[in-house]
Each structure stands twice: as structure tokens, then as C-alpha cells.
Amino acid sequence: MAKTSATPWGAATVIDELSLQQRAGDKRFASIVQLLDGGGEQLVRFSYSTGGSARRGPVTLRARDLERLRTELAKHPELAAALGLGRDA
């Protein structure tokens, strides 16, 4: 069964997802980037997770995290394309 998620536009199906593990001092968390199908329209959601619970709100990435994001996107071509960061970008 496909994972679904609520959005302001209604329910959406999670097509792809990547997670970047991060740390700030003693705090450990992950930034999450998801490609969603919202009834034929592609949506991209950024969130963060603490202890397995996804939370909305500001997502902050350091320059080195952005480089790791680019590296991870190479494994997620549909998500990279939706962000305009695919091989053709």
C-alpha cells in the first residue's frame, strides 16, 4: 500500500523520499525531502524529523548539508528532476 500524506491541496501519495541525517551539538534530527503526487500534480515537501515524527516548519540546511543533498539526489532522479537539479538541469 502506498504511503499517503495530507497537504493543503488534499491527500497526496509519496512517490519518493530522501532523508539527510543532521546534528547540532547533542541534537540529532533529519531533514526530509519528499516527492508527492497530489492527484496528477507533483508536489515537493521539505520537513524535518525528530525521533521518527515528521514535523513541518522551517528546515535549515548548512552548505555542507546542501552538498550531501545533491549527492543523495543522484539516487532519486524523479525528485531531483522535480527540484530542477537533475542531470539535464
Side-chain angles (χ1 to χ4, degrees):
M1 179 179 233
K3 182 177 171 183
T4 60
S5 188
T7 76
W9 299 274
T13 303
V14 178
I15 303 300
D16 197 3
E17 176 179 298
L18 70 81
S19 177
L20 290 174
Q21 298 300 315
Q22 295 176 277
R23 184 171 63 184
D26 292 339
K27 297 177 186 176
R28 295 185 192 290
F29 56 98
S31 290
I32 301 166
V33 184
Q34 294 176 316
L35 176 61
L36 307 173
D37 179 354
E41 181 178 21
Q42 283 191 335
L43 306 169
V44 176
R45 178 176 22 218
F46 291 86
S47 62
Y48 69 96
S49 174
T50 56
S53 298
R55 304 181 188 285
R56 296 184 182 110
V59 174
T60 305
L61 300 173
R62 298 171 293 190
R64 67 180 180 224
D65 296 323
L66 288 172
E67 188 55 41
R68 290 178 48 226
L69 175 60
R70 284 186 201 93
T71 299
E72 287 299 312
L73 284 170
K75 302 172 194 170
H76 300 266
E78 284 185 275
L79 188 51
L83 290 168
L85 299 171
R87 291 181 184 172
D88 298 334

